[in-house]
Amino acid sequence: MNESITAIVPAAGVGSRMKADRPKQYLTLLGQTVLEHTVTKLLSHPLINQVVIAISDDDPYYSTLALANHDQIVRVSGGTERAGSVLSALNYVCQNSHSEWVLVHDAARPCFRLDDVSKLIDTATQHEVGAILASPVRDTMKRANDEQDIDHTVERVALWHALTPQMFRAEPLKHALSTAIQQSVTITDEASAFEWLGHNPALVAGRADNIKITQPEDLALAEFYLRRDEEMK
Ligand code: C5P
């Protein structure tokens, strides 16, 4: 691949499960916000030349960061759901950028590795739909009944955790997301919009330490992974 790619970072969530005084993308790890770790690392990939970040209109934090004045970073208005935030960024990309491909990555996943991004780009660009980073399920999986007792064990052989980045062509992704949103389909990642249209994006096995900061206990783990990665540089 020799053309450059735009990364889209949905960062308009409130992160209520973190029980913190601010959205999780603005919590500090090793002296930088989670969002700064994520965006700086994306821009350090040789094929990524622009990051479009979806931020809530009433967000008081973003404008205080150096990212706000970076010439490779664009801010757009986030939506009420993650899919709406991604669509808002895609509208910008399709009107203003010449990138055929976009790579969507959660702000709350600062621990991804650049070599996983390269693997994803290689697979997605050879695939007719696109691809996502994912990791195989390790634990035995249970389906609960209404009483939160176990109804049955789910065969885990073909089960994967969907991670990000997820990489697709910008125009088809915009079409898939906007049609799904119009029809009130619940979309929690980009791949599911394509699945809903009957397509089968590729799964690329990525590192399981690409965690999404979701609950308070995730912060210490993310800090551990980031420190380890810095020491390995
Ligand atoms: O809440 P969850 O962890 O699933 O959010 C995943 C990512 O989507 C986060 O980076 C969050 O900021 C973003 N998001 C968004 N707009 C929303 C909700 C979540 O950009 N309305």
Side-chain angles (χ1 to χ4, degrees):
M1 170 131 194
N2 43 28
E3 63 168 294
S4 50
I5 299 166
T6 296
I8 287 177
V9 175
V14 289
S16 54
R17 286 173 289 181
M18 279 305 287
K19 301 184 175 74
D21 66 343
R22 61 194 62 203
K24 56 191 176 181
Q25 56 273 27
Y26 298 114
L27 296 175
T28 302
L29 294 175
L30 307 182
Q32 271 196 323
T33 61
V34 170
L35 181 64
E36 289 171 298
H37 281 287
T38 299
V39 172
T40 309
K41 201 187 299 180
L42 284 169
L43 279 173
S44 72
H45 191 284
L47 288 175
I48 297 176
N49 74 336
Q50 183 185 44
V51 181
V52 180
I53 313 181
I55 302 283
S56 270
D57 287 344
D58 57 5
D59 176 310
Y61 304 103
Y62 181 77
S63 59
T64 67
L65 304 179
L67 296 180
N69 301 311
H70 193 297
D71 61 3
Q72 288 169 286
I73 298 175
V74 175
R75 170 184 179 160
V76 296
S77 293
T80 51
E81 305 290 335
R82 181 184 180 284
S85 296
V86 174
L87 185 57
S88 167
L90 276 167
N91 285 333
Y92 175 87
V93 172
C94 292
Q95 276 166 25
N96 299 286
S97 148
H98 300 292
S99 287
E100 179 185 5
W101 290 91
V102 289
L103 191 135
V104 182
H105 184 63
D106 290 333
R109 291 186 191 272
C111 305
F112 67 101
R113 291 278 192 93
L114 294 179
D115 48 358
D116 269 359
V117 174
S118 299
K119 264 169 59 181
L120 175 71
I121 293 172
D122 287 347
T123 303
T125 51
Q126 307 287 319
H127 193 275
E128 57 177 12
V129 186
I132 75 169
L133 283 184
S135 72
V137 161
R138 313 164 172 202
D139 300 309
T140 300
M141 304 300 283
K142 306 292 186 189
R143 163 92 44 205
N145 63 19
D146 292 344
E147 284 78 49
Q148 207 180 298
D149 293 330
I150 296 170
D151 186 75
H152 63 275
T153 299
V154 180
E155 177 70 77
R156 72 171 168 213
V157 172
L159 282 186
W160 295 68
H161 294 277
L163 312 175
T164 72
Q166 304 199 353
M167 187 170 171
F168 296 99
R169 289 179 184 82
E171 288 285 355
L173 178 58
K174 185 178 142 193
H175 167 75
L177 277 181
S178 56
T179 320
I181 291 171
Q182 269 160 26
Q183 301 201 22
S184 306
V185 179
T186 303
I187 295 292
T188 51
D189 71 344
E190 291 53 62
S192 49
F194 283 102
E195 294 155 36
W196 176 69
L197 289 173
H199 301 301
N200 302 107
L203 291 164
V204 176
R207 295 177 60 101
D209 52 11
N210 176 9
I211 58 167
K212 182 169 71 170
I213 297 174
T214 308
Q215 307 194 123
E217 62 267 32
D218 299 333
L219 266 189
L221 193 55
E223 191 159 76
F224 171 82
Y225 289 143
L226 288 172
R227 183 174 291 120
R228 180 202 58 188
D229 291 353
E230 279 188 9
E231 283 167 6
M232 278 168 41
K233 273 183 197 163

